[in-house]
Amino acid sequence: MDLDLSEADEAFRTEVRDWLAAHVPATPLPSLESAEGFAAHRDWERELAADRWSVVSWPTEYGGRGASILHWLIFEEEYFAAGAPGRVSQNGIHLLAPTLFAHGTAEQRARVLPAMARGEVIWAQAWSEPESGSDLASLTSSARRAAGGWLLSGQKTWSSRAAFADRAFGLFRSDPDAGKPHHGLTYLMFPLDAEGVTVRPIGRLDGRPAFAELFLDEVFVPDEDVIGEPGQGWRIAMSTTGDERGLTLRSPGRFTAAADRLTALWHEHGDPADTALRDRVADAVIGARAYRLFSYAAASRVLHDEGAPAGAAASLNKIYWSELDIALHETALDLLGPYGELADHAPDSPAHGGWAEGYTFSLAGPIYAGTNEIQRDIVAERLLGLPKGRR
Amino acid sequence: MRFLLDAEQREFARSLDGLLTSCDTPAAIRAWAAGDHAPGRALWARLAEAGVFALAVPERYGGFGPLPLDLSVAFAQVGRHAVPGPLVETVAAAALLDRLGDADAAGAHLPGIASGTTVASLCLTALGPYALDADAADTVLVVDGDTLRVGARPGPVQPSADPGRRLSRPSGGTVLAEGPAVAAAAAHAAGLAALATSAQSLGVGRALLARTVEYVKRRTQFGVPVGSFQAVKHRLADTLLALEFAEPLVHGAALALAAGSPDADRDVAAAKVTAGEAAYRAARTALQLHGAVGYTDELDLSLWIRKARPLRDAWGTPAACRARVLAA
């Protein structure tokens, strides 16, 4: 067992660090949850892609570098340590792309992935419906057969990035008589500017339109935009939700960078006599280290063919990072005292690196990608073997 | 980088688990608590035969260490089976004597520690006035400031909250060494003790979780297993979560100690507080989910429940560890 990186790994880290030092914008981009910021972030995706840094773990033919999961972890550590912009492409990269790699056709991969890697097509996820959240299989939006494709109708909601995105992916009920709720579902991709689509942005807790609801009225989608077999959408989608909760959605780099900034904030502003706050700072810093080492262990299992972590292990991950993210940000706001409540764009806001928006974003963690209550059920039933019961 | 135990380490853990499963550790603890050290010493001899103490002793004194990571693997099993005795103190004493640079002192004690014939206890007065199980030890070391005494006599036994731990104030003994080398060696020993205690906590927590999961599957109320209730499930899920994320901290700290990393002290402190808190929360959960039967000393579960809290506080309280994590 060791934690030492090889010379090649260190060389990769240096290459990433040097590129970021030369390219990361000196002043932060506007929030990606605004029209102006969305455009600026799209440009940043293009800049990353030009030097093949937008999707390092993908095969080279789609714009990646074929990097190992360890190099991906290193890339992410450097990315967040450099204070680089948030990734407007992340829904596509983390949710849709793994699904296409596993279940898409060669034609779909060639058509969708390079444009995604360059930020030309930004994807929104369209999973939830007003009555279907944690119980996703209860969804009612429909896909009806039409010549050469399908007609989509219904309503999707809490659709992240959809206020400004180009296309979306989601599940639709194609066979209402299939018997069980998770049978007869089809996984489809569709354009957000198509005839019959209405996008209504929804303000998030801080008022920014980070998500939207989508109204679909007989929206035509050609057969080439069905992912996998019609009717098999549930099985295909579940492989995606595992990715969403698992190793690749929230890299430890995000939290170690935040922990480093929190430590600096403590040494700068912390009252040494306030041991209660000191203990919380220490716990958040330790939590980030634990998450990093846990991820290295998981990556080692993948790299050394000792079996990928079980799907249910992704639930442990999801609970952990979502609660850690809140702890890091809450503690930072407490350290900032009277400045903690200022929005990042308030004139007096201290230049302490977006704690306000980060805090708002962190609050969603235990809610999305399957609520933490559902994740705890999964952990208890599948990892501990406890009997199923009423929810 | 391969941040995983290797096959040999996993096999070592499995064999220790098998060995300890075949011993009646609860009976040994109950005897130990009553002052009968014979079953505990017999267990000690079997652990020594399996190589546990040799992991703390360098080759030239009959060991094959020091190997902090392998010690962590061993101490997780020690905790899982709640083995009584000053095991942590003995390996810490070995680390102290090895680091001291006094060949005579090392030669006098280390071969016996490696082979299992020497049971040692160690008291660093800066951390507290008590030595663990000094009445059962062959030699008692005391570090007071920068003075090291050996052959200290145990005082009257002060019962611990954990029946498997017997505390006493050591006194007397002869001065073996003085000066900055003692303080440095003691700091090194305290680090290894904190690491071994962290690993022991992990094992205690795993045992508490496993026993509680088995219990809530069997125990029925309102006509269904209590393990089917969401409130019960979520507490156990959180227990597993805390242990799963504490374990890599323990392994990472062991590697830092082995490498002599400048961050080792910080990393050990992070592991210590996290594993200690995880095991203590596991104990609270085990007690709550067993209900009244968990509140009895007749059920062997009590031996693990009562161990978790002292381990959380021994060799570095949570507050002290958190302060070390942030020390610049």
Side-chain angles (χ1 to χ4, degrees), chain A residues 283 300 306 376-377 381, chain B residues 2 230 233-234 238 322:
Chain A
D283 281 342
S300 293
E306 301 200 2
R376 286 185 166 90
D377 283 346
E381 289 168 13
Chain B
R2 184 189 180 284
Q230 207 171 32
K233 282 181 180 168
H234 287 194
D238 283 336
R322 289 182 171 113

Side-chain angles (χ1 to χ4, degrees), chain B residues 25-164:
Chain B
T25 54
I29 299 169
R30 294 184 193 280
W32 193 270
D36 171 10
H37 300 132
R41 288 293 294 239
L43 253 176
W44 193 283
R46 298 197 64 180
L47 288 175
E49 208 174 307
V52 169
F53 301 103
L55 293 170
V57 174
E59 283 177 30
R60 63 183 177 282
Y61 298 114
F64 34 84
L67 293 169
L69 183 61
D70 300 80
L71 275 169
S72 299
V73 171
F75 273 86
Q77 295 304 325
V78 164
R80 183 185 279 270
H81 294 276
V83 179
L87 296 105
V88 166
E89 290 66 24
T90 293
V91 300
L96 177 94
L97 291 166
D98 178 29
R99 190 54 73 97
L100 203 56
D102 177 339
D104 290 345
H109 295 96
L110 292 181
I113 287 177
S115 68
T117 53
T118 300
V119 172
S121 190
L122 172 65
C123 170
L124 305 186
T125 58
L127 291 180
Y130 303 113
L132 180 68
D133 298 318
D135 60 325
D138 303 299
T139 186
V140 179
L141 285 70
V142 178
V143 175
D144 193 357
D146 57 3
T147 302
L148 168 63
R149 287 180 283 128
V150 292
R153 291 177 305 280
V157 170
Q158 314 265 342
S160 155
D162 171 7

Side-chain angles (χ1 to χ4, degrees), chain A residues 56 60 66 136-137 147 164 167 189 204 220 271 278-279 330 389:
Chain A
V56 293
T60 51
L136 183 62
F164 308 109
R167 290 174 67 85
M189 302 180 276
R204 163 176 88 170
F220 178 77
D271 172 2
R278 180 204 68 196
D279 284 358
E330 277 181 341

Side-chain angles (χ1 to χ4, degrees), chain A residues 33 38 124 159-165 192 199-202 209-212 214:
Chain A
E33 314 297 2
F38 206 85
S159 198
S160 297
R161 304 288 104 73
F164 308 109
L192 288 170
V199 178
R200 187 184 79 83
I202 303 173
F211 41 33
L214 311 175

